[in-house]
Structure formats: structure tokens, C-alpha cells
Amino acid sequence: MSEPVIRLRGVSKAYRKGGEELQVLDRLDMDVEEGEFLALMGPSGSGKSTILNLIGGLDDPDEGTIEVVGENVSQLGGDRLSAWRARHIGYVFQAFNLIPVLTALENVELPLLLTPLSKTQRREQAEYALQIVGLGDRMDHRPKQLSGGQEQRVAIARAIAMDPTILLCDEPTGDLDRDSADQVLDLLQRLTSEYRKTIVMVTHDLKAGETASRVLHLDKGVVESQTA
Amino acid sequence: MNLGRLVRRHAWSHPVRAALTVGAVAVAIFLFCFLRSIVTSLDAAVSQSASNRIITASAVSLFQSLPSAYKGAIGAIDGVDSVSRMAWFGGRYKSEENFFAQFACDAEILFEQYPELLLSDEQKKAFIDDKRGAIIGIGLAEKWGLKVGDTVPLIGTIYPRADLRMWEFNIHGIYRSARANVDEMTMYFHFHYLDESLERGEAMGPRGTSVYLIRLEDGYRGEDVAYAIDAYYEGGPQRTRTQSEAAFQADFVNMLGNLPTFLGMIGAAVLIAIVFGIVNTMTIAARERLRSMGILQALGFSTSVPARLYLMESCAFALSGGLVGAGIAYFTQDTFRKLFGTQIPVFTVETDTYLWAAVICVVTGLIGGAVPAWRAARMRAVDQLRRGI
Ligand SMILES: Nc1ncnc2c1ncn2[C@@H]1O[C@H](COP(=O)(O)OP(=O)(O)OP(=O)(O)O)[C@@H](O)[C@H]1O
Ligand SMILES: [Mg+2]
């Protein structure tokens, strides 16, 4: 086995709500191998989104270390963190993923502004990413003019356009009907098998869990069980 | 695709809101330009006044005329190069409500004393040769559609005619002004003609002149000559008050009281109002965009990007509004110049005013963007993602 691309050790996170402390993560250990498609499952409020935010460096742990592609994420800060994130992390949120005032193509092109690519190269790469998700014919649509499933696929296109090391998906199928959900899952599946992307996906959807190569069940801040 | 496009899209995402914001800034900047120009135009009239001219009026009041016989004695005073009389006529054009300034003057000396009056030599000569001749400013000509060869009928209010008819003057020339101290909304005609009509009983009214215009000989100081004139008439028959042209015009401006201060206060209030307006627009906009700003940061954009976007958008609103407002001020100058006529000689929006307007727009834009920028900078990306809808 190779070195894990994501390694969490003794990670704790608590929120203070109205004087009461809520322990969301309690000394959590977790490893994700390169090219793995991991599903995170668990009841609402169990800290799944929090884990994704910690891996992506959007949030800091109270305790513990988070190593992602060899970097100690919580020790990166400011613009170095932003640059690291642009290079290694692709995000797909549960909903409202896209900038509403930009077209599908523009949304996908947006993160490419952070690369040294030329204007034409950016455009070509964005168009290619939209082709991969099967939306080559919807490039000039605004998010409002797309269905939920299409929006989600644009979000995935945006995430993969940057060719990130890791894809973090927070309930990517949560708002979708079965057919759209299956399309999105197929797409993610292909990304691991064909492009060897590492994917961490939060989901409530059992079918989604089956697509993944491994499932972690989370409860009360600790890993409850694992199925491979 | 670049961040500029994102700023533009955001700015226009609510066209009505954008238009209202830009419109409010435009109105405010127009008002600023307009009010400031009133003050600067009045100031220009004062400061551009020639230093080699002084004006003698009655010490009692500007509305009291001086005997026309003073001309000889004033001319004999040391330092006086030439003297001319100028009487306020106060006539109405065609009917009672149409007013513009008319002066009866010593035509031959007028052009010598006022090189600012630009007129061809033929027109000058034609005017001087016709007893009932007159010249008018280009502004007047445009306002009333008058041209050379026309006759101007004036109702005499201060000087009614005995035959109860209107005065009639023949236009021989239309002048332009070389400097802001001389307006283009005045009619000049012959003092002799007025004086002769009064002499013959063809018209009634006060004899004498409103003021004497004095051109100094080189090397003499206005104050000294003015002092000599006033000292000469100290014992009467009518005491005089002689001032530099600048002081005379400044006196006139002072008659307007604290107008500049008052205008300044209105201007300041308007500017404060647009700052509020733009802060309001940007605050509402920022609230709608929390999530978008969170997404940008999740994509790897620097945490300072939201602040920069807000500042750019706010400045874009302020500057487009400013451009429209300043444009309106620029293109309405002529209209206002005619409207104000002699009240504000040569109403002009100065380059300085445009520069100030630009400064105000940038500052307003920065303040408008600073409020949401500051908030965005203090809020972590996770919270923007979580709180945004
Ligand atoms: N900024 C915050 N302030 C206070 N409490 C927070 C904050 N962020 C998260 N929480 C709390 O932490 C807990 C875990 O949140 P998290 O979003 O990770 O849950 P989740 O497992 O993703 O749930 P869901 O399935 O509903 O999305 C929740 O109880 C949530 O209310
Ligand atoms: Mg969640």
C-alpha cells in the first residue's frame, strides 16, 4: 500500500453554541489512499461536512493533525493555503454550487484564472471538462436555466477542470432524483477508475455508498464502522 | 472570462437597483458640478477682472446715479488714462417679463477700455457711427434669436419715452467675450442717445450715469487713483466710491450674502446622501453573495478576493454615476449660461470641478465597497458558505 494521501490523526473539533460545547469530532483518525473513492455516511450533525472542510483547509481543528498530499493543512495559512487549495482540492457542495451570475462555461473557467493558462487554453480546458460531464451543449446556460442534476455536473466539471488531486463532494446527489443521481455517481466512479482521482464523498444515499470503494460510518464524532 | 466580468455581472444582476444607484450618483455629481460652478464662475468674474480698471460709483448706493459732468474732472486726475460713463438702462425686451442687461455707454471708449469685447472692426465702426446703434453679446443673440440688422424694441422702465412707444435700437454687432469677467448677455448702446433724448424731453428719467469706468495709465496703482478721485469729491456735490473692478464685482457677489457657504452645505449634504446610498446598495448586494464569495475561496481564490470584488463593484457604480453626472453638467453648461445671463457672468464648469467630482466618486466608491469588504474580510470562508443561501 502506498502512503495515504489524506491522513487525520487525533482530530477534534468542538463548536460552542449558546454557552454549551458541542463536540463534533472526537480524536478522529482517518486515512484515505490515493485513487480511493471513499463514502462518508452518518446521521445529520455527525460532523461529515466538518471533516470535508478540515481536509480542504476551510476550517481548522481544535486538536490533531491533518496531512493532505504531504502538507500539514492547518499550518498553511493565507495565500499559501489558497494556492495549495487551488492546486489540490476540488469541491462539490450539496447545493448552490455555482456562481449564479456566470454561465456554466464561465463557472468552470473561473478557477482556471488561478493557473498560468492563456485565455484560449482556459476556455478549451473548461469546454473539455464540460464535455466529460456530458454538458457540451449547455455551456452558455446560467445555473438557473439548468436542472439540479446538470448544475451538479457543472460543479463537478469545475472541480475536475483544475485537475485536482482530491475531490471533496458534500452530498453531491442529495437534491437529485434517482436518474440524475446515478449520472453523477457514474461520473464520479469514472473519475476514480479512469483518471485515478481520490474522492471523499459525504452521502446519505445508500446507493451512493455502494458505488464507493469504501464506506466510513460516522457517529458522535468517531468512526463507527467500515465497509469495503 | 476574468474577474472584471464577474464584477460587471454582479453589478448588473439587479438592473433596476444598479440603474437607481448609478442614477442617484449621477444626480448628486451633477448637483455638485452645478453648485460648485456657480461659485467658481462668480469667483472667476472677480479674479479675472482687469487690474488696470477702476470703477467710480455713488458713495450712497449703487442705484444712485452720478452727474455726467464728473467725466471731465475725473479725466484730469493724475493716473487716469480714459473715463467713460455707463448707465444702467433697465429696459424690457418687447414685453414686461423679458429682461436682460443694457448699458448706455461711451461707445468710442468702450472698446479701448474693454479689449475683452471681441468684435470685428467693421461692426465696431458701424455701431459707433449709428446714433441708435447697439451691440449685443452672443449669448443674448442666441437666446432671443437676434442678428445683425435687427431692431431691438425695449420698454423703458427707468426711462419711459414721452411718446409712450418703445425705444428702438439697431444691432450692428454681436460680441464674444475673451474672459470670464465680461459676460456675453449684455447690450451696449450710446450714452449720447439716451442723454440727448432726456435733454429734448423725448424721455424721462434720471440724468447722469450709474458708474464711471476708468482705465489707468501704466504705472499707477488703482488704490491711489481711487483715493484721489474719492478725495476730490469728498465735499460733494455727490460723494463717490471708487473701487478696483475686482472689488466692485466682489461687492456684487457679496450682495448674494453667504451663497457660497449655503451652496457648499447643500453640496455636502447631497454627497453624504450618496455615500449612504451606495453603502446601502453594496450591503444588500454583499448579503446576497455570501455563498458566491465562499465558493470563490473554496476554489482557491485568495481570502482578499471578495473584498476586492466589492471595492471594484462599488467604484464602478460611483464612477459610472459620476461620468453621467459630469456629462450632464458638461452638456448643460450653455443652457445654464444663457439662463443665468448676467447674474452669473459666463457660467462655466471648470476642469477643477471635474477633477473634484472624480475624486469624490473614487472616495465614495471606496467607502461604499469598504463596508462589505471589511465584513467579508472578517468572515471565514466556511461561515460564508454555511450562512449564504
Ligand atoms: N459554525 C458553526 N457554529 C456552530 N455549530 C456548528 C458550526 N458548524 C457546524 N456546527 C455544528 O456541528 C455539527 C456538525 O455539523 P456538520 O455540518 O459537520 O454535520 P453533517 O454531518 O454534515 O450534517 P448534515 O448531514 O446535516 O449535513 C452540527 O451539529 C452543526 O450544527
Ligand atoms: Mg453536511
Side-chain angles (χ1 to χ4, degrees):
Chain A
M1 275 248 265
S2 55
E3 272 286 288
V5 68
I6 301 171
R7 189 216 293 266
L8 275 66
R9 285 294 174 273
V11 171
S12 296
K13 180 79 185 172
Y15 290 108
R16 197 167 287 283
K17 230 185 224 168
E20 224 176 292
E21 205 175 56
L22 178 73
Q23 194 70 35
V24 181
L25 298 178
D26 190 9
R27 281 163 294 173
L28 178 85
D29 295 334
M30 184 178 129
D31 288 317
V32 184
E33 303 293 328
E34 194 178 344
E36 203 177 3
F37 184 178
L38 176 73
L40 271 181
M41 299 188 78
S44 181
S46 57
K48 305 181 298 292
S49 299
T50 304
I51 291 177
L52 291 194
N53 290 339
L54 290 172
I55 295 172
L58 285 173
D59 210 345
D60 297 318
D62 298 336
E63 270 173 55
T65 56
I66 301 167
E67 265 179 50
V68 183
V69 276
E71 284 280 358
N72 191 334
V73 180
S74 27
Q75 273 169 16
L76 286 173
D79 286 347
R80 273 185 63 209
L81 177 62
S82 299
W84 170 85
R85 190 183 295 136
R87 167 122 175 57
H88 293 294
I89 305 292
Y91 262 105
V92 179
F93 303 103
Q94 177 173 355
F96 308 110
N97 263 301
L98 305 178
I99 309 274
V101 295
L102 299 179
T103 64
L105 184 65
E106 288 164 346
N107 263 287
V108 178
E109 251 189 276
L110 189 62
L112 297 174
L113 290 175
L114 296 164
T115 66
L117 295 178
S118 75
K119 207 173 153 181
T120 3
Q121 286 172 321
R122 290 202 301 261
R123 207 189 149 88
E124 279 167 5
Q125 197 156 325
E127 283 170 354
Y128 179 59
L130 279 170
Q131 293 290 353
I132 293 178
V133 300
L135 285 176
D137 56 342
R138 292 286 196 281
M139 300 202 191
D140 294 327
H141 286 53
R142 294 274 183 105
K144 255 192 227 152
Q145 300 163 319
L146 295 171
S147 74
Q150 288 167 338
E151 272 193 66
Q152 215 59 319
R153 277 146 66 198
V154 174
I156 292 169
R158 184 181 59 192
I160 61 175
M162 289 292 275
D163 195 23
T165 319
I166 298 162
L167 225 58
L168 302 175
C169 309
D170 199 344
E171 302 188 44
T173 58
D175 282 357
L176 306 182
D177 62 28
R178 192 66 263 162
D179 279 355
S180 313
D182 286 344
Q183 280 184 15
V184 168
L185 289 172
D186 280 353
L187 183 58
L188 292 175
Q189 172 82 65
R190 262 174 55 213
L191 288 174
T192 38
S193 56
E194 290 174 28
Y195 299 89
R196 281 197 52 82
K197 296 287 160 213
T198 306
I199 300 180
V200 181
M201 172 180 71
V202 167
T203 187
H204 285 292
D205 178 1
L206 289 173
K207 177 110 187 278
E210 284 165 21
T211 319
S213 53
R214 185 159 62 106
V215 183
L216 273 189
H217 291 273
L218 210 69
D219 201 8
K220 308 218 167 62
V222 289
V223 175
E224 182 100 308
S225 64
Q226 268 199 49
T227 41
Chain B
M1 179 57 204
N2 52 42
L3 286 183
R5 186 183 302 180
L6 182 57
V7 170
R8 264 197 315 280
R9 291 282 175 77
H10 271 151
W12 283 111
S13 60
H14 290 78
V16 175
R17 191 167 76 197
L20 288 175
T21 306
V22 170
V25 176
V27 169
I29 290 299
F30 164 73
L31 265 177
F32 166 80
C33 292
F34 176 72
L35 295 177
R36 185 169 193 273
S37 297
I38 290 181
V39 177
T40 57
S41 302
L42 288 171
D43 281 350
V46 173
S47 63
Q48 293 211 3
S49 306
S51 57
N52 65 347
R53 286 193 297 248
I54 57 176
I55 296 175
T56 300
S58 163
V60 182
S61 113
L62 200 53
F63 306 102
Q64 179 79 44
S65 48
L66 287 170
S68 82
Y70 281 19
K71 188 175 176 181
I74 291 174
I77 285 170
D78 234 18
V80 175
D81 179 56
S82 63
V83 195
S84 76
R85 295 164 295 193
M86 208 169 262
W88 176 252
F89 186 68
R92 306 289 148 134
Y93 175 57
K94 284 186 181 165
S95 73
E96 286 292 337
E97 64 270 18
N98 300 332
F99 169 80
F100 56 81
Q102 311 103 21
F103 286 103
C105 65
D106 289 312
E108 305 79 2
I109 312 171
L110 181 73
F111 297 114
E112 188 185 303
Q113 291 192 325
Y114 279 89
E116 292 95 331
L117 294 172
L118 304 179
L119 197 67
S120 73
D121 285 344
E122 298 88 77
Q123 293 192 339
K124 280 182 194 169
K125 187 169 183 321
F127 164 50
I128 291 170
D129 289 348
D130 178 8
K131 184 174 88 171
R132 299 204 323 201
I135 57 167
I136 59 173
I138 179 85
L140 265 190
E142 281 170 6
K143 181 169 180 185
W144 299 104
L146 294 166
K147 52 190 189 305
V148 171
D150 284 355
T151 299
V152 182
L154 293 179
I155 302 167
T157 51
I158 304 173
Y159 300 98
R161 289 183 63 89
D163 58 11
L164 301 176
R165 310 243 313 257
M166 291 195 202
W167 293 82
E168 289 195 340
F169 299 95
N170 307 318
I171 300 176
H172 290 293
I174 291 172
Y175 71 85
R176 287 181 181 278
S177 166
R179 290 173 76 165
N181 60 320
V182 175
D183 67 70
E184 294 177 336
M185 296 296 287
T186 301
M187 173 178 134
Y188 296 97
F189 64 95
H190 291 278
F191 188 86
H192 285 304
Y193 176 46
L194 175 63
D195 203 43
E196 193 182 281
S197 305
L198 294 170
E199 178 78 39
R200 290 190 187 153
E202 288 167 7
M204 285 151 293
R207 299 291 294 269
T209 178
S210 306
V211 295
Y212 284 102
L213 298 174
I214 294 138
R215 192 184 151 114
L216 302 172
E217 273 176 38
D218 287 348
Y220 282 86
R221 292 183 348 131
E223 298 94 284
D224 300 338
V225 179
Y227 181 81
I229 294 170
D230 292 346
Y232 184 86
Y233 288 109
E234 185 64 50
Q238 247 206 70
R239 291 197 305 116
T240 59
R241 176 170 150 85
T242 307
Q243 291 171 292
S244 68
E245 187 180 283
F248 186 79
Q249 298 229 30
D251 247 21
F252 180 73
V253 174
N254 285 341
M255 279 177 9
L256 302 170
N258 281 327
L259 186 74
T261 319
F262 183 60
L263 294 183
M265 276 159 54
I266 299 177
V270 168
L271 293 178
I272 289 170
I274 55 160
V275 170
F276 286 158
I278 215 157
V279 166
N280 183 45
T281 300
M282 289 310 300
T283 308
I284 294 171
R287 198 172 302 148
E288 291 164 357
R289 297 203 198 124
L290 272 181
R291 180 142 187 120
S292 291
M293 295 305 146
I295 290 171
L296 283 175
Q297 291 166 77
L299 291 177
F301 282 93
S302 150
T303 45
S304 66
V305 161
R308 266 151 51 198
L309 294 178
Y310 290 137
L311 286 170
M312 278 157 73
E313 182 174 348
S314 176
C315 285
F317 279 137
L319 288 171
S320 354
L323 207 63
V324 173
I328 296 173
Y330 177 79
F331 287 110
T332 53
Q333 277 183 93
D334 279 348
T335 313
F336 283 114
R337 188 174 305 158
K338 277 168 208 151
L339 209 66
F340 287 134
T342 37
Q343 287 157 334
I344 299 171
V346 198
F347 177 83
T348 313
V349 185
E350 291 179 357
T351 316
D352 256 18
T353 301
Y354 294 121
L355 291 178
W356 273 113
V359 169
I360 288 168
C361 287
V362 171
V363 171
T364 306
L366 290 179
I367 297 174
V371 175
W374 179 72
R375 283 196 189 161
R378 286 195 338 152
M379 200 167 173
R380 298 184 319 148
V382 241
D383 297 322
Q384 292 177 5
L385 284 166
R386 208 179 274 273
R387 292 251 290 279
I389 17 97

